[in-house]
Amino acid sequence: MLKQMKSRVAKHIVIGIAIGICAIILTVVLSKFELFDTLELKSLDAKFRLRGAKTPTSDIVIVNIDDESFNELGVFPWPRNFHSKVIDNLKKSGTKVIALDIDFSTPGAFGEKIDSEFANSIKKAGNVILVSTFTVINDSKFSYETPNFPIPVLKNAVADYGFSKYDMDKDSYIRHSKLKINHQNEIHYAFPIAILSKFLGVEKSNIVKNIGSDEMFVNFCGVARTFKNISYHRVCNSEEFAKLPRDFFKDKIVMIGATAEVLHDIFPTSFGSMPGVEIHANTIDTILKGEYITKTGRFLDYIILIALTLLVSSIAVKFSPLKSLSAFLFLIVLLWVISFYSFFSYRICINSMEPFAGMFFAYVGNTIYSVIVEGKEKRKIKHMFSRYVSHNVVNELLRSPEKLSLGGKREKVTVLFSDIRNFSTMSEKMTPEQVVAMLNEYFTEMVNVVLKYDGTVDKFIGDAIMAVFGAPIKHNDDAKRACLTALEMREALARLRTKWQTEGKDFLVDNGIGINTGEVVVGNIGSAIKMEYTVIGDNVNIASRLEGLTKNLKAPVLISQSVYDEVKDIFEVKAHGKHPLKGRAELVEIYEILKVKEG
């Protein structure tokens, strides 16, 4: 038994590892096609939303080009001398950096004079940063990007300029910020880097070098309007501007940009739709605080994938689909809890979609194996035994198939034979239909008693029943169970006789029962065409011979010495001495079971 269990465990381990490895390979192959990337990004969005808003830096103020300003100042674009007034007012208020997220790559619609006035205000302020963009040119043979710098008069007046270029993810969301690009062997720095360089008095190259990458995740503070902000017209109008607190802009980075939807400078982010100027502000906030979001390396990703996938596979191959589903769901929840905790506490993004996929494939693979392969074995066991043993025994066999010896082995069991006395003489007086009806009713009652005590109905031999206790499932008290079965079979027969008498049926049925305990050969016995699970051996014959003596000794239930030795303290018995049995040279001590001892 122990050897069988070890073999079964080893088989499960090998199959579990094999299915787990297949699940890992499938996951890695699918990841090469970037099938999990979008889900991983959506997971990041969920982490942001669960984390909620965080307090942005107080160093940034956003001036909104919004609907309120359109109502006050007219249709956009406004004359550029409006921007001159804003720059002049901000300079007077002690603003440290003025950053305009507005495209000035073409001359203004109101003439060169106004552009020149605007340039003078920029130069006089000495702290203005403008934005440049890149346009994708699609030629007949290839496509390329070309930069759009501010017009010369403005470009020569600004303190600096930087490009605005956010590469969208597959789902068209903005989550990353490019910090520098190499265009035609010339380094261009991003708009937020140019702003920070002026604000901190640090070289742009040193800022990017300190970050350690040319691209980074934006650690968003929250939804739109999270940063301190004010409507453009209040800064442009001198009277409105004078009403503001004197330190509202002092020593701040003031970013001016479109926030009205009609200007189409709004993009989807992890916190919902957000104006481009606020995305820049979130990038600056991330760098100022040094709160960078990092991802786990591929090595650790693979370690997590392999460990969790093999764990789920080893559980799923051993337990039922329902139990292994609970383990699978628990590990999924545990992975996500750890993933969210690492993000909230350490800003580390653990790759969770690939391990989830690996665990899912492992669970499904093992479930399919269980249904097709092990399910077939269990259905075979159920079909073979469900009619002959109790549901308890069938369920035990399904849980532990190693307890079933189909190849044949020696086992100590208790065998019970029950036969109807004088059946041939009685049946001659009955019609065939009456014989069949009587036997079916009789066998039903007798079999129910055998199954009640977890015995196995081995076979029907004419009007005789052969039952086994101790195979395929062994109990510590199989001899006792057999004896209880015999007494209860006698009681069931008495009830049947009363019932038949009431129905007017002249079925004068009596039976004899013989019980013996000893070693037998247990297993599947038969031919390639027909095979059945049974027990054979001399100890089976002894039980049959004891049943044959019941009529001569006028004792309905006889047991052998081996049975008596196990149940003598449980049942009252009557000794019948030693008797010869057909096929045996020595005499056999025989006892009659009377009843269960009282107390």
Side-chain angles (χ1 to χ4, degrees), residues 418-466:
S418 172
D419 192 14
I420 298 177
R421 293 174 180 169
N422 301 320
F423 177 73
S424 298
T425 303
M426 182 179 63
S427 62
E428 289 176 358
K429 301 175 184 179
M430 302 165 61
T431 66
E433 290 79 9
Q434 288 177 320
V435 172
V436 171
M438 185 272 290
L439 281 178
N440 284 343
E441 194 168 3
Y442 170 79
F443 283 146
T444 298
E445 291 295 326
M446 299 303 110
V447 167
N448 285 340
V449 177
V450 173
L451 300 186
K452 175 181 176 181
Y453 291 99
D454 291 336
T456 300
V457 178
D458 187 286
K459 60 174 65 71
F460 299 103
I461 309 168
D463 60 316
I465 300 172
M466 174 182 168

Side-chain angles (χ1 to χ4, degrees), residues 65 72 74 135 259 284 364 366 392 499 590:
I65 299 177
E72 295 292 331
T135 300
T259 59
I284 293 171
V364 170
N366 280 285
N392 292 336
K499 175 177 176 293
I590 296 174

Side-chain angles (χ1 to χ4, degrees), residues 25 241 421 504:
I25 293 172
F241 186 78
R421 293 174 180 169

Side-chain angles (χ1 to χ4, degrees), residues 580-596:
L581 294 182
K582 184 179 179 181
R584 296 183 67 87
E586 68 275 10
L587 299 179
V588 176
E589 194 78 43
I590 296 174
Y591 300 86
E592 178 185 353
I593 292 285
L594 300 176
K595 64 178 182 177
V596 178

